[in-house]
Amino acid sequence: MQAMSDQLQSQTLPALPAALKMSPAQFQAFLGDNFRDVATGVGQLNTILPRFHGLVGGLEARSADFAKADQIPTAWLPSTMVPFLFWIPGAILTLLAAAGLFFTLRGERQAVGKSALWASVGVGAALMLATVVLSVPEKGAAVDRIDATFGPVFTTAGADQVRSDMNVVQAMSDELQAKTLPALAGALQMNPEQFQGFMVQNFPDVATGVGQLNTILPRFQGLASIIESDVSDFRVAMSIPTQDTATSTLAWWFVIPGILLLLAPAGALLEMRAQRPSGPRPEVVL
């Protein structure tokens, strides 16, 4: 579309007034009076197309990051399983604490306490290992890069701007193909085949671009619809782990509890060992 826009504005439109035996001012008035959508669209192309290029360029630049983000938590588990990465360890630790309390009240503190502490160490090690196995730091950083690129677009204002741009370009395309080009062909006293040949010979980028509009614009319409419908979901996804915290910090939500679950039980086990009675065991005389 950029090549079409450049040639349309720099060559085609300046050449048409002479071909139609009009002054440039008369031609501009002719367009404005008879083909308002085309006149409006052409006047905004230099503003709209850079925004479209930014979207396309962002999608290309972040394709690898989208692939990583799509694998949260893994390539074979949906992202809806992420809460279970916290719920399951939490449930295990809650059960261990409840079991320890129950058996302590029954006077079986020592053996059960050790088992609970070792199990806690296992949960901590699992959390630490999960951070590496699931590539949490890399995936979190990928999400942050996606947010930096598309965050301004996936807002109400951003989605409205994309839709407005799309409406302008679509209206321009529809009127250009349905009314403007046939009218120009008639004014130049050419049939459709002759006019197409004239455009291909003199303005090939415009001819090619116009021929591709009905293929390109539906794709952009689909992209605009996706942005509009996914604004809320995008903002929710980008608020992981919290709204004001980068997603790349998600790894610490595994690492810090993992470290605590490794160190705290280890300290308790050492203390229990230190409290063992020292010296030789008393002999039992039968």
Side-chain angles (χ1 to χ4, degrees):
M1 285 185 66
Q2 186 64 60
M4 180 193 77
S5 172
D6 292 343
Q7 189 172 66
L8 180 66
Q9 296 180 76
S10 64
Q11 298 178 32
T12 310
L13 293 179
L16 286 176
L20 295 172
K21 298 179 181 180
M22 297 180 182
S23 68
Q26 289 174 324
F27 181 71
Q28 288 297 327
F30 169 74
L31 278 181
D33 292 340
N34 296 278
F35 311 107
R36 293 182 181 180
D37 290 335
V38 170
T40 299
V42 170
Q44 296 186 29
L45 281 177
N46 288 341
T47 301
I48 292 174
L49 289 185
R51 288 197 281 258
F52 282 2
H53 292 158
L55 280 175
V56 174
L59 290 171
E60 292 174 347
R62 295 287 164 251
S63 59
D65 289 333
F66 276 112
K68 290 179 181 178
D70 191 48
Q71 294 176 6
I72 296 175
T74 69
W76 46 275
L77 284 176
S79 56
T80 52
M81 297 299 295
V82 169
F84 290 96
L85 297 178
F86 296 93
W87 292 344
I88 291 175
I92 293 173
L93 292 172
T94 300
L95 290 174
L96 289 173
L101 179 62
F102 174 76
F103 286 104
T104 296
L105 294 176
R106 293 185 57 180
E108 302 175 23
R109 177 180 178 182
Q110 188 74 8
V112 175
K114 282 186 177 181
S115 299
L117 289 172
W118 280 114
S120 298
V121 170
V123 173
L127 287 173
M128 299 282 287
L129 185 62
T131 306
V132 177
V133 172
L134 299 179
S135 302
V136 175
E138 293 85 351
K139 292 175 181 177
V143 172
D144 287 342
R145 289 191 292 270
I146 292 172
D147 189 23
T149 301
F150 294 103
V153 178
F154 280 87
T155 61
T156 300
D160 289 346
Q161 183 65 68
V162 172
R163 174 53 62 194
S164 175
D165 290 346
M166 197 63 248
N167 288 343
V168 169
V169 174
Q170 187 67 62
M172 180 194 74
S173 171
D174 293 343
E175 188 173 66
L176 180 67
Q177 297 180 77
K179 298 180 180 180
T180 311
L181 294 180
L184 290 175
L188 293 171
Q189 298 181 347
M190 297 180 183
N191 61 38
E193 291 76 16
Q194 290 172 326
F195 183 72
Q196 178 65 20
F198 167 78
M199 293 296 293
V200 169
Q201 182 177 358
N202 295 278
F203 312 108
D205 291 337
V206 174
T208 300
V210 170
Q212 295 177 349
L213 284 174
N214 290 339
T215 300
I216 295 173
L217 292 187
R219 296 173 185 167
F220 278 100
Q221 289 283 13
L223 179 59
S225 297
I226 289 172
I227 292 172
E228 287 177 317
S229 63
D230 288 353
V231 167
S232 296
D233 289 343
F234 185 90
R235 297 317 324 162
V236 170
M238 294 305 109
S239 66
I240 296 173
T242 69
Q243 184 174 356
D244 300 319
T245 306
T247 308
S248 54
T249 64
L250 182 62
W252 294 107
W253 292 63
F254 291 87
V255 172
I256 292 176
I259 292 174
L260 293 176
L261 287 170
L262 288 173
L263 295 181
L269 288 169
L270 290 174
E271 183 180 356
M272 291 173 65
R273 183 175 182 179
Q275 290 177 354
R276 287 181 180 177
S278 58
R281 295 181 179 179
E283 295 183 1
V284 178
V285 179
L286 298 177

